[in-house]
Amino acid sequence: MKNDLRKKIIILLGFCVISSIVFYEGIVNSMNTTTYAFSYQYGFKARAFMGTILRIFNKIFPYDFMSYRGVVVFSIMLDILFIAILFVFYIIIFKNAEKKQWNKLYYLMIMFSIFAFPEFLTEENLGRTDVCLVIISILGLILLLKDKWEFLIIPLSAIAVCIHQGYVLMYFNVFLVILFSRIIERQGKEKTKSIMVFALSVIVAAILFIFLNFYSHDNGHEIFDEIFSTASGLAHDGAVHRELMMHEVLGENPFTDEWKYHVFNFKEMALFIVFFIPYIIIAFSFFKGCIKDVKGIDKLKYFAIALGSATLLPDFIVKIDYARWIFAGLFYYFMIIMYFVALKDEVIIKNINVSWEKLKRNKVLAIVLLAYPMLFMPLGDWKISPVTTEILRLLGQGKEVL
Amino acid sequence: MKTKNKDILNFVILVLFAGVLFIRYFEHRIIKINSTELAFSYKYGFISRGLVGTVYRGLDKILPFNIMTYDGLYYFFIISTFCLYALIFLFAFLCLKRSGNESKKGIIIISLIYIIYAIPMFAANYNFGRLDLYCLMVTIIAVISIITGRLEWIAIIMSALGVMIHQGYVFMYFSIVLVLLLYKAMSDDKRDRKKSLIILIISFTIGSALFLYFELFSHLNGEGIYEEIVGIASKICANGDYHADVIDHEVLGIDLSDREIVWRWHNGLQLPFYILFMLPYIVIGVRFFKGLITKSVNKVEKYKYIFVAIGSLTILPDMIFKCDYGRWMFCITSYYCIVIMALVAMGDKLVIEEMNIIIEELWGNKIILFLILYLLLFQPLADVNICPITTKIGDTINGVFHFYVDP
């Protein structure tokens, strides 16, 4: 069993290394370098957590992290940490799950890895703080899987909101759905504990979200120039993302010209959905099966699992980074299903087996369904994928934004 | 009936996958070497690489609009590329139809592997419109005639056309036709043996004669036609920017070795890494052919499989004298994929048995999933540079050691 696990992980690791070489672009764009200019030296500001960590690194280590090169190195370190934690998660999943589920889990891991390995290596996302949100989410999942120190979800969520207040819409759903399912399943003290953790996580995250979004810009004008100068020093060519500065430091909303990007988003999203219809059908059939298999209050649990990604809807409506929201949605579904399989949830396992048997009937389809997402990699930020963007470009769409 | 429906479904899946693969890698651009070569035509005599240009000018005369422009060439190449893809699918479908139930999985997997290579190869700008695509077209037509046993003499004509399209055909794709004819010549059936041997000898003779002619004698009038060819090339290339080296080499017979030294550095840095990355497939290939050779019942069969195993070595002269390693890697891939599929379609029991053993083993430990996914990371194959990964690695190493400076 150990050998089998070792072989699976080594092969996946090899795939990760090659994948990283292919997709690594070595450039941190101005949006992401500007984020590192924010820090708690200016007060309790939105998105200042990672900038503060960067400054701590700069003080501790004999390397100039407060430079463009330093930001690139720091970003690479974060990506390596993400990959390492992802593999630790995979190993824990395997060790917790029944051996007969390993092939299905491996298939899911490979499929998620296709999206995950290149995600934070491209120019759009190298150094993006989303990587930290994902790391924290996986850490929390590991704790929940081990059923140890559940209360740590509260500070982890708090840190995540401090890193990027968008966390509450993007990655918080994984914790909330798992805690909610525990509230439904558990009894007595365990139930109370889960309710406390759920409630406190929500309250702390909500307070931080509201404060950082609406009340953290008080001395914005006083610190603007200093942060601007720092951001310029961190950028590749001195370029600072002005709109981000105005939004996060001054609390203004300069993103008024985004409607043309939204129009492009809607078209590209529609195309992306068309291309991924087979997966949507499989997922729909899977969740329908889960919900049908249970009665009473248990239905709530599986409804929550099925619809947990709905927290992304405000992002899809208000913000333009559709590729990031898609990745967050994929992260949610893959993580939550792997989590429940590892927990030996009977309903999830039964329906995974049903889907697997259907897939096994046509092995060619099974291989193609796995390989197909690779054609759409890497996911970008406001542009979803090279294939969908290219099709729209060919159709003469999005001329104003492309 | 169920099996037939499943075959059709799997085939449709491959076609749809190929469609998305094309969109992913298509760059909408013809690079200058590929457009310049269409300036050569038989108007100037029986010159090398003149066939496709002649066909193109013939089309220009027939059609009621001027296609001797970059845009005209662009659409011609799109149609040609789709014709090639259609032929590849026709070949795959034929092999699928002719194979027994026990071989269908293997055929589909090898088809998938070949599609992953072939679609991006001719969609990306390095090889979009390159004469190699016409060479591959004639090769597939010849292979289809050999497999079906119908109009096999077409292989002679296709071989000749292949060399007329590009004299490098003799090293690149000719081996596929020759090895299959040799295989058939060494087969049990006496009638097949004789017919195949005759076709093999005639094809080989004509191919060699044409190659020698184009290499040594077709440049005699080069100076006289040079300016006119440059004029045509300027019309059909983007922004009038034609590839001077290919005109110098093909029209004037100038040796380009000294101009290609930089590219040889690219080759030298990248090839070892490509071989390293392709080791899993090389190991599988060696195992496959070792199985065939050791299980052969007699000496004739043994030599038959040895020839099949080493048939791709005809690419060696290209690797020694020419720098387009991306194209040579594609030739090697094409050789093994097409030949193995053809042998399965021809009902070779040992090939089928060995293929199934390997596929079942790979399937059992799920390695087959990675073997397919992994290939996608190495696309598209290019020309001088092998593929994006080896290009990156080569450039990184050169960044440290400064072996060469790109022109």
Side-chain angles (χ1 to χ4, degrees), chain A residues 10-265:
Chain A
I10 287 172
I11 291 172
L12 197 52
L13 198 55
F15 182 69
C16 174
V17 169
I18 306 294
S19 197
S20 301
I21 299 173
V22 172
F23 292 109
Y24 175 69
E25 291 179 12
I27 300 171
V28 181
N29 68 18
S30 62
M31 160 79 91
N32 297 325
T33 50
T34 301
T35 311
Y36 286 103
F38 310 144
S39 115
Y40 291 147
Q41 74 186 81
Y42 307 112
F44 191 51
K45 302 291 177 195
R47 304 208 208 179
F49 190 90
M50 290 314 295
T52 309
I53 297 291
L54 187 71
R55 281 161 178 75
I56 292 171
F57 267 59
N58 193 51
K59 276 204 159 57
I60 295 171
F61 297 106
Y63 185 83
D64 182 14
F65 279 100
M66 292 304 293
S67 62
Y68 175 71
R69 197 158 181 80
V71 170
V72 173
V73 169
F74 188 69
S75 305
I76 293 170
M77 285 164 60
L78 285 174
D79 191 69
I80 292 172
L81 184 60
F82 158 58
I83 297 295
I85 281 181
L86 184 63
F87 272 90
V88 168
F89 177 73
Y90 285 162
I91 291 168
I92 292 173
I93 290 285
F94 274 128
K95 285 187 168 171
N96 279 325
E98 295 165 322
K99 180 113 209 281
K100 56 186 174 182
Q101 304 304 327
W102 276 23
N103 281 341
K104 296 143 207 163
L105 281 169
Y106 199 42
Y107 191 88
L108 289 172
M109 286 174 189
I110 296 169
M111 195 177 282
F112 177 66
S113 298
I114 287 169
F115 292 98
F117 290 160
E119 175 67 9
F120 300 108
L121 293 173
T122 59
E123 184 184 337
E124 289 92 342
N125 293 314
L126 180 65
R128 194 178 286 272
T129 49
D130 292 20
V131 69
C132 306
L133 306 183
V134 171
I135 290 169
I136 285 173
S137 302
I138 297 175
L139 263 171
L141 275 167
I142 291 171
L143 291 173
L144 288 168
L145 256 174
K146 294 281 191 193
D147 208 2
K148 275 184 185 167
W149 306 318
E150 196 181 31
F151 67 90
L152 284 177
I153 297 298
I154 305 164
L156 279 175
S157 307
I159 291 170
V161 181
C162 292
I163 291 172
H164 192 316
Q165 59 272 38
Y167 167 80
V168 300
L169 301 171
M170 293 198 291
Y171 296 102
F172 198 22
N173 48 16
V174 174
F175 292 161
L176 295 181
V177 165
I178 290 172
L179 290 167
F180 181 73
S181 75
R182 286 185 174 193
I183 292 169
I184 289 177
E185 288 164 347
R186 293 181 173 187
Q187 304 298 328
K189 267 190 184 171
E190 291 294 325
K191 188 182 184 103
T192 310
K193 195 169 84 165
S194 295
I195 292 172
M196 291 299 296
V197 173
F198 181 94
L200 285 170
S201 304
V202 171
I203 290 165
V204 168
I207 290 171
L208 284 168
F209 178 82
I210 292 166
F211 176 81
L212 292 169
N213 252 343
F214 302 110
Y215 300 102
S216 68
H217 315 291
D218 283 349
N219 61 340
H221 288 280
E222 292 159 31
I223 58 175
F224 187 91
D225 287 340
E226 192 178 332
I227 295 179
F228 192 97
S229 169
T230 306
S232 181
L234 293 176
H236 172 53
D237 46 5
V240 178
H241 200 283
R242 219 166 229 286
E243 288 87 352
L244 182 68
M245 288 278 303
M246 287 163 69
H247 182 62
E248 297 300 337
V249 180
L250 303 178
E252 292 173 15
N253 184 17
F255 301 107
T256 51
D257 206 19
E258 286 190 340
W259 178 245
K260 54 188 180 201
Y261 290 93
H262 274 300
V263 171
F264 188 82
N265 286 156

Side-chain angles (χ1 to χ4, degrees), chain B residues 132 135-136 139 169 171-177 330-331 334:
Chain B
D132 296 24
C135 291
L136 192 52
T139 303
Y169 173 78
F171 303 122
M172 295 195 290
Y173 299 105
F174 199 18
S175 52
I176 296 173
V177 176
F330 180 74
C331 291
S334 296

Side-chain angles (χ1 to χ4, degrees), chain B residues 342-383:
Chain B
L343 293 179
V344 171
M346 288 196 282
D348 186 305
K349 289 191 174 63
L350 203 47
V351 168
I352 291 168
E353 181 191 318
E354 208 52 38
M355 180 185 74
N356 287 340
I357 289 171
I358 287 178
I359 284 180
E360 285 315 308
E361 197 182 307
L362 293 173
W363 208 283
N365 50 26
K366 303 292 173 272
I367 289 178
I368 199 130
L369 298 174
F370 280 104
L371 287 179
I372 305 291
L373 288 181
Y374 185 68
L375 283 177
L376 283 165
L377 295 173
F378 294 88
Q379 306 312 321
L381 294 183
D383 43 19

